[in-house]
Amino acid sequence: MLYLTPFITIYFCLLAALLGACMGSFLNCTAWRALHGESVLKGRSHCDKCGHVLGAKDLVPVLSYLVLKGRCRYCGEKMSAGFLWSEVVSAVVFVSLLLRYDISLQTLEFLLLASVLLASAFADLEEYIIPDRFILAGIGIRVIFILISGDVLHEALRSFIGGASVAAALLAVSLLLEKVLKRDAMGGGDIKLIFLTGFYFGWQRNLFCLILACFAGILFGIVTMRAREGKEDAKLIPWGPSIAFAAWMTALFGQNVLDWYMSLF
């Protein structure tokens, strides 16, 4: 349906971009509130510097940040560029998933997964924590889609194996490294996030996701090394964003890569 005419394609892509930008703003706010003990469902959006309640013109995705030049309208304090990038990245993710899976239940499922992963990435970037409530929300969403799949037993088994097998192997490696290095090797939230991606992708695509996340994490660490230099947490590298990126790439290209790899044998 998405590709019936150019007009329909552009129209739905614009809708997806707008929805994605709005969700990016909401998810960033959700992550911040979850980390700072505020209710996600109660209370209006406010400046995290002066506490002033934000008006409607302060909450237009992307445009408000650009018009205000990245500063609070009320106290003049500079806002984090993360507000802008969370909206832009979410918009790009939503549009790309729509273009990949057309207008379908699969698209809806992956958009919801992307929302959970984005919230987890934002939280990890903020405080190096991935709240359990995000993981549980992602599992709950997948369970709903399993129940409406028409083949509940097969999908449930595929999801469980996909999550547990790769996550268990990762946990074993993490525990081994901790004994060798005598320090924490990996956060528990990262392992739970890998379990969640496997719950959606199955073990083969989740293995691809894990490998890609490792490369992305190394690259992220190298790129941000100078920015983290001298800080108390300089040795900490949030892996949640790398897992979220890898899951996005897996949703878009994972099956194609696996099909290509299997064709070599």
Side-chain angles (χ1 to χ4, degrees):
M1 178 179 177
L2 181 65
Y3 298 101
L4 286 178
T5 67
F7 173 79
I8 290 177
T9 303
I10 294 172
Y11 174 74
F12 279 106
C13 283
L14 289 175
L15 285 181
L18 178 59
L19 176 61
C22 291
M23 281 298 294
S25 178
F26 171 75
L27 294 170
N28 198 20
C29 177
T30 297
W32 191 91
R33 290 191 178 196
L35 294 174
H36 291 83
E38 294 189 17
S39 172
V40 175
L41 301 177
K42 296 180 181 179
R44 295 178 59 185
S45 297
H46 57 80
C47 172
D48 58 358
K49 305 292 185 181
C50 65
H52 197 288
V53 174
L54 302 180
K57 58 186 176 182
D58 304 313
L59 298 172
V60 180
V62 180
L63 292 180
S64 290
Y65 187 95
L66 296 177
V67 170
L68 296 172
K69 298 180 180 179
R71 295 187 178 275
C72 173
R73 184 190 303 275
Y74 308 99
C75 67
E77 286 290 327
K78 188 173 180 59
M79 296 183 290
S80 169
F83 290 108
L84 173 64
W85 286 111
S86 64
E87 295 167 357
V88 173
V89 169
S90 298
V92 172
V93 169
F94 273 48
V95 172
S96 64
L97 290 174
L98 174 65
L99 290 173
R100 173 64 176 85
Y101 292 100
D102 209 324
I103 300 172
S104 63
L105 279 177
Q106 182 74 86
T107 301
L108 177 59
E109 184 177 11
F110 278 147
L111 288 180
L112 292 173
L113 171 62
S115 298
V116 173
L117 293 173
L118 285 167
S120 300
F122 298 154
D124 205 15
L125 285 170
E126 179 76 19
E127 294 287 348
Y128 302 102
I129 295 173
I130 300 175
D132 287 341
R133 69 182 73 177
F134 294 167
I135 305 297
L136 292 174
I139 292 174
I141 291 168
R142 177 58 182 153
V143 168
I144 292 173
F145 280 92
I146 288 175
L147 293 176
I148 64 176
S149 66
D151 192 354
V152 176
L153 183 60
H154 175 267
E155 284 297 308
L157 186 61
R158 185 182 73 87
S159 294
F160 178 77
I161 293 175
S165 58
V166 179
L170 187 61
L171 176 60
V173 172
S174 176
L175 293 174
L176 179 62
L177 287 175
E178 287 180 6
K179 286 189 176 183
V180 173
L181 301 175
K182 306 299 182 182
R183 61 179 176 84
D184 290 341
M186 187 178 301
D190 299 326
I191 297 174
K192 294 173 187 175
L193 205 58
I194 285 293
F195 172 84
L196 178 63
T197 57
F199 212 56
Y200 284 77
F201 293 138
W203 75 269
Q204 291 177 312
R205 283 192 294 172
N206 199 35
L207 183 59
F208 171 76
C209 179
L210 174 60
I211 294 171
L212 188 57
C214 290
F215 283 107
I218 293 171
L219 181 61
F220 180 83
I222 294 173
V223 171
T224 62
M225 186 181 299
R226 180 170 295 181
R228 292 180 287 107
E229 190 174 358
K231 295 183 179 180
E232 293 183 4
D233 56 0
K235 293 184 179 181
L236 296 177
I237 300 176
W239 201 32
S242 298
I243 297 174
F245 170 78
W248 175 35
M249 292 294 101
T250 300
L252 294 179
F253 310 114
Q255 192 58 53
N256 301 86
V257 172
L258 286 175
D259 290 342
W260 168 80
Y261 177 76
M262 294 304 295
S263 69
L264 299 178
F265 299 94

